Amino acid sequence: MKNWKSIFGLAALTVGLASCGELFEVEEVPEQAAVADIAMGRHTVDLMVGDSYTLPATVTPDSLINRGVFWESSDSSVVRISDGMIIAAAEGEATIRVTTVAGLKSDTCRVRVIPRWEISPYDFARDMVVYADVTINGKKPDEGTIVGAFCGDELRGIGQLRNSNGQQYIQIRVYSPILYGDDVSQDDKPGSGGVVDVEVDEDEPTEEKVIEEIIFMCYDHSQARLFTFAPKLNFDGETHGTLSKLFKLTAE
């Protein structure tokens, strides 16, 4: 049965209704509507173009899960989303928002999409090799992990997972377009990504010495995470690390 309440003198109709005494039929509103909260398990995600990842999201209380949630992307040309699965469509950044139907509570996650790591050795003049012992969060990399070498933002090499007599390591062939630079050492101080140091002799000027700083990064497909390793190298055309003493690359 409906509850009837007399409503007199609404703010905008006080004068018009005061003498009429009209009755309005009003549905009784529950004292407190059910409200669900929601929280994402991740607030930052890194994806390569073409990869996908299912964002974990928890609704509390779980009895309101059946009320449903809806997802939206701030830029669907970069990241598309369907029922919590995000798909990296193009390089860039986008924000994913999930909102509960019960109470309209929401949470967000920032998604960074990076290009796929692809490189052709024929585009470069020289190379150097790094034999690395790679550890990420205390674990060794698997086939779903990619290690890349960069000079600034330019990809210069991709690691290959190797195994020798039960010992796992990553072999990274790092490339450079610089034809010269054999005099560069690991004691030279590079700038951000690579600098040009010009040694000037008034009587006999020398050619420029280009110092390229190589940094190492790792992308984990399964975790949708991008890691940066602290150790760096100057490109010198030499071999770094051996099977008996691997170059250490560790990230947390």
Side-chain angles (χ1 to χ4, degrees):
M1 178 180 296
K2 294 181 179 179
N3 295 301
W4 294 83
K5 293 186 177 179
S6 299
I7 301 181
F8 299 96
L10 290 176
L13 301 175
T14 302
V15 177
L17 299 180
S19 60
C20 300
E22 294 186 20
L23 298 177
F24 293 85
E25 182 181 358
V26 178
E27 294 283 355
E28 185 174 9
V29 179
E31 291 184 2
Q32 184 174 4
V35 174
D37 203 354
I38 192 165
M40 287 192 187
R42 296 273 299 274
H43 291 96
T44 58
V45 166
D46 302 306
L47 282 176
M48 274 189 179
V49 172
D51 281 3
S52 61
Y53 180 76
T54 299
L55 279 172
T58 303
V59 176
T60 53
D62 56 11
S63 59
L64 295 178
I65 293 177
N66 60 355
R67 296 284 187 90
V69 299
F70 60 91
W71 300 81
E72 56 185 332
S73 171
S74 65
D75 190 342
S76 58
S77 67
V78 174
V79 178
R80 301 193 304 271
I81 184 156
S82 176
D83 294 329
M85 175 175 284
I86 54 178
I87 301 170
E91 184 180 356
E93 292 191 9
T95 298
I96 298 299
R97 180 180 298 273
V98 60
T99 304
T100 62
V101 173
L104 298 180
K105 293 294 186 68
S106 64
D107 198 6
T108 60
C109 176
R110 182 181 64 83
V111 181
R112 176 176 54 172
V113 180
I114 62 175
R116 299 198 73 80
W117 290 357
E118 299 172 338
I119 191 170
S120 171
Y122 302 107
D123 294 335
F124 301 92
R126 302 175 63 222
D127 66 354
M128 72 179 191
V129 178
V130 179
Y131 294 100
D133 177 17
V134 178
T135 305
I136 305 162
N137 289 330
K139 297 180 180 179
K140 296 301 180 182
D142 55 24
E143 294 294 343
T145 305
I146 306 177
V147 177
F150 290 81
C151 181
D153 294 328
E154 182 184 10
L155 179 65
R156 290 292 188 84
I158 299 175
Q160 301 293 324
L161 184 62
R162 306 292 192 196
N163 193 294
S164 176
N165 297 322
Q167 180 185 28
Q168 177 184 295
Y169 64 96
I170 299 288
Q171 177 183 314
I172 313 167
R173 192 168 293 276
V174 186
Y175 298 95
S176 171
I178 307 302
L179 285 169
Y180 47 88
D182 291 330
D183 56 341
V184 171
S185 75
Q186 298 307 312
D187 295 326
D188 287 307
K189 303 299 181 183
S192 178
V195 299
V196 177
D197 288 346
V198 182
E199 298 178 353
V200 179
D201 188 314
E202 293 181 357
D203 298 323
E204 187 178 351
T206 61
E207 69 177 5
E208 298 175 347
K209 180 171 68 173
V210 179
I211 307 173
E212 294 187 308
E213 181 183 74
I214 304 299
I215 64 172
F216 300 92
M217 303 178 74
C218 176
Y219 173 71
D220 189 319
H221 284 278
S222 62
Q223 295 187 51
R225 289 185 187 275
L226 185 66
F227 301 88
T228 300
F229 298 102
K232 304 173 184 178
L233 288 172
N234 291 340
F235 186 93
D236 58 6
E238 303 294 331
T239 297
H240 297 271
T242 64
L243 294 185
S244 60
K245 189 176 181 181
L246 295 168
F247 184 71
K248 297 286 186 180
L249 292 175
T250 304
E252 300 294 336

